[in-house]
Amino acid sequence: MNGKLLPADTYIVVNKTILSEQDKKKITMLYQPIIGHTAVSLYLTLIDDLEKRELMSGELTHHHLVSTMQLKLQDIIIAREKLEAVGLLKTYVKEENVNNYVYVIYSPLSVSDFLNHPILSVVLYNNLGKKEYDKIINYFKIPRINLKDYQDITASFNSVFTSVGGNLFIDNDNIVKKNIGTITLDSKVDFDLLISSIPKNIVNNRCFNEEMKNLINALAFTYNIDDLNMQGMVRNSLNEKGMIDKEELIRNCRNFYEFENAGKLPTLIYSKQPDYLKSPKGDTSNWAKQVYTFENVTPNDYLRSKYKNGEPTMRELQIIEDLMVKQKMKPGVVNVLISYVLKVNNNKFTRSYVETVASQWCRMNIETVEEAMRVAEKEHKKIKRMLEKNTSKNDIRREAKKEELPSWFEKEIEKKEMSKEEEEELDNLLKNFS
């Protein structure tokens, strides 16, 4: 769609499913760690728009959404796209002077399907960590009862009811039922190449059905496997009937990734600061603009911005990955750490120095950008006081002059309004990351 979403654009909500309280629990426990609380809030708001009609809402404007959720339109679009990506929402539009949207609501996957999904389960695991992930598994786990000494005495239907002849024709096609949305991925695998590379005498004609193609595509995306390596994964997963063993294929792809990445699972995490940890909007000070930058740029991109002509090394990118996976640091906090370390460590991003600072911040349970910025500033002042005790005043002046500090240290921490030139410079920087 070429047009821009405007507050006056209208929408209706269509409920294509039956939503239970258990579904809402699945949304918050399974989906929220992946899509964030803003997307979940949009989902629940659209359900509320149905009011008592349950199946379809009246016509509403996007100004209603902006007012109800107290968000900018751009934030609503981002939240909507996340819902679409995980199959909870489908969006249709009819372009006119005032555009008309239809938002179709779908149920979440069953717990079993979600936790066995080749993408969603991996993302959830990496976003939560093993401890929290295991809590969810235990919450949904069905208790096992030993029925060894019991006898099944359940009555069958025809032992209770008698069949009665009749000629009533019932059309149930349009009756509401539980519908679950599908997760779609742009095609990553060249299936023509993949299928032609496998000898026809070892593969069944029904092997590459739509479901299997979707699984192969999802695994290629999840584990970043190219066409050549995927050919090997598929061939090694064929059973004696020439069909692909689904569990074997998933296991082969996972083992391949772990081998290529020193035993690690893929880090499919949202690498920008989660919405619920972001600062409120509205402040236009220098401090707030810097906070906004840290919150809305990925750590990899932020580190890349520090290179005028070149790229970060794989070792540096590995350090960032470890901070987010092993130490469970939030992306915005990692950005502050990158800025701080490069400034106080003579532009060197060394693992030992980074991990020393990171360990301290993790012990302090720092999760927001502002907390990290204030701790970094406090730490710098502490080091400066120690220097003052052991160094002459002239040496201190030379040290202070030599050390270039982040703009948000010292006097810059005051909420001074940015100049027009500073605003343009920062806006240009953020455009590069959008």
Side-chain angles (χ1 to χ4, degrees):
M1 176 186 169
N2 297 322
K4 182 181 178 183
L5 181 64
L6 298 172
D9 289 342
T10 63
Y11 72 91
I12 60 170
V13 183
V14 176
N15 187 8
K16 288 280 286 187
T17 189
I18 301 170
L19 288 165
S20 64
E21 287 304 312
Q22 180 73 358
D23 285 328
K24 292 179 181 178
K25 189 173 286 292
K26 284 187 282 186
I27 295 288
T28 54
M29 292 184 70
L30 301 177
Y31 285 83
Q32 184 165 287
I34 296 174
I35 62 178
H37 82 287
T38 304
V40 170
S41 178
L42 175 60
Y43 184 81
L44 298 177
T45 301
L46 292 175
I47 291 172
D48 288 342
D49 284 339
L50 292 166
E51 299 173 338
K52 294 179 181 179
R53 304 173 72 170
E54 292 188 351
L55 299 180
M56 189 169 77
S57 74
E59 189 174 85
L60 298 159
T61 67
H62 283 83
H63 176 71
H64 160 76
L65 273 184
V66 170
S67 302
T68 302
M69 300 186 69
Q70 290 294 293
L71 291 173
K72 294 179 180 177
L73 269 177
Q74 186 58 36
D75 293 327
I76 290 172
I77 292 170
I78 293 170
R80 187 194 79 198
E81 289 174 347
K82 289 180 180 180
L83 292 174
E84 293 164 358
V86 295
L88 294 174
L89 184 72
K90 278 193 175 181
T91 303
Y92 301 85
V93 63
K94 181 167 69 173
E95 295 186 358
E96 296 177 334
N97 289 334
V98 174
N99 295 324
N100 302 302
Y101 289 78
V102 176
Y103 295 136
V104 183
I105 298 284
Y106 288 88
S107 286
L109 294 168
S110 69
V111 175
S112 175
D113 286 344
F114 187 102
L115 294 176
N116 286 291
H117 194 278
I119 297 176
L120 295 177
S121 59
V122 176
V123 180
L124 183 68
Y125 182 92
N126 283 309
N127 283 14
L128 289 177
K130 186 177 187 307
K131 187 177 179 181
E132 291 298 321
Y133 185 83
D134 288 344
K135 281 184 184 177
I136 286 178
I137 296 292
N138 290 330
Y139 179 86
F140 288 110
K141 189 178 287 184
I142 299 172
R144 289 190 175 183
I145 300 174
N146 188 352
L147 297 175
K148 182 181 177 183
D149 298 324
Y150 291 78
Q151 185 179 358
D152 186 352
I153 59 168
T154 308
S156 64
F157 184 88
N158 62 339
S159 70
V160 178
F161 298 99
T162 303
S163 176
V164 178
N167 57 7
L168 177 64
F169 175 75
I170 302 174
D171 180 7
N172 290 327
D173 286 347
N174 294 319
I175 301 300
V176 66
K177 61 183 177 180
K178 195 177 188 75
N179 282 306
I180 296 172
T182 55
I183 297 173
T184 57
L185 287 171
D186 293 333
S187 183
K188 181 177 173 61
V189 177
D190 184 341
F191 282 100
D192 290 336
L193 178 64
L194 175 62
I195 295 170
S196 65
S197 70
I198 301 175
K200 290 183 179 179
N201 61 327
I202 67 169
V203 67
N204 193 299
N205 291 332
R206 296 179 287 109
C207 179
F208 292 100
N209 57 30
E210 201 61 34
E211 181 185 359
M212 185 53 66
K213 283 183 178 180
N214 288 336
L215 174 63
I216 292 171
N217 202 49
L219 291 170
F221 169 78
T222 304
Y223 297 106
N224 195 27
I225 300 174
D226 60 25
D227 286 341
L228 186 61
N229 283 308
M230 184 54 78
Q231 291 170 23
M233 301 296 108
V234 170
R235 293 182 69 158
N236 290 335
S237 305
L238 291 170
N239 59 27
E240 65 279 0
K241 295 179 181 178
M243 300 295 287
I244 298 172
D245 184 321
K246 182 173 133 183
E247 296 303 320
E248 185 69 17
L249 178 62
I250 293 172
R251 187 162 45 251
N252 285 337
C253 290
R254 185 187 296 122
N255 290 342
F256 170 81
Y257 184 93
E258 290 178 354
F259 178 78
E260 292 289 312
N261 294 273
K264 293 178 182 175
L265 284 171
T267 55
L268 288 172
I269 54 178
Y270 281 106
S271 52
K272 292 181 184 178
Q273 187 76 346
D275 290 345
Y276 73 96
L277 290 175
K278 288 183 179 180
S279 302
K281 297 180 176 67
D283 190 351
T284 59
S285 68
N286 195 10
W287 167 272
K289 283 280 189 178
Q290 188 63 64
V291 170
Y292 182 83
T293 303
F294 287 140
E295 289 178 341
N296 291 281
V297 175
T298 70
N300 283 4
D301 283 342
Y302 187 77
L303 183 59
R304 284 190 177 97
S305 74
K306 299 300 177 183
Y307 283 77
K308 291 181 179 177
N309 298 304
E311 288 282 317
T313 65
M314 283 304 297
R315 183 175 295 178
E316 290 173 329
L317 295 176
Q318 186 68 55
I319 293 172
I320 290 177
E321 184 184 32
D322 288 346
L323 292 177
M324 298 174 74
V325 178
K326 289 183 180 178
Q327 307 261 26
K328 303 298 178 191
M329 293 185 77
K330 301 302 180 189
V333 176
V334 173
N335 284 337
V336 180
L337 188 146
I338 292 169
S339 176
Y340 174 68
V341 168
L342 290 178
K343 291 295 184 183
V344 301
N345 196 35
N346 198 25
N347 266 326
K348 289 182 289 187
F349 197 66
T350 53
R351 180 176 286 275
S352 58
Y353 197 101
V354 170
E355 288 182 346
T356 300
V357 178
S359 298
Q360 180 193 15
W361 290 12
C362 288
R363 286 193 296 270
M364 297 171 73
N365 198 29
I366 294 172
E367 290 194 316
T368 71
V369 165
E370 292 206 56
E371 286 174 337
M373 289 168 69
R374 294 187 189 283
V375 166
E377 192 233 357
K378 184 178 177 182
E379 190 64 23
H380 175 72
K381 285 182 176 178
K382 179 181 173 183
I383 294 170
K384 195 172 179 182
R385 283 196 299 270
M386 291 172 62
L387 282 171
E388 287 173 354
K389 287 181 181 179
N390 300 293
T391 317
S392 69
K393 287 185 179 180
N394 287 335
D395 288 339
I396 293 170
R397 288 194 190 98
R398 281 198 300 271
E399 188 68 28
K401 187 176 180 181
K402 181 177 70 175
E403 186 175 341
E404 184 188 358
L405 300 177
S407 62
W408 36 273
F409 274 13
E410 308 277 343
K411 294 179 182 178
E412 293 293 341
I413 202 168
E414 297 173 7
K415 296 200 172 185
K416 182 187 75 174
E417 293 295 320
M418 297 184 80
S419 68
K420 209 162 189 179
E421 291 76 13
E422 287 175 319
E423 284 194 31
E424 287 177 1
E425 183 181 349
L426 191 53
D427 287 340
N428 289 333
L429 171 66
L430 289 173
K431 281 177 187 174
N432 292 330
F433 297 121
S434 59

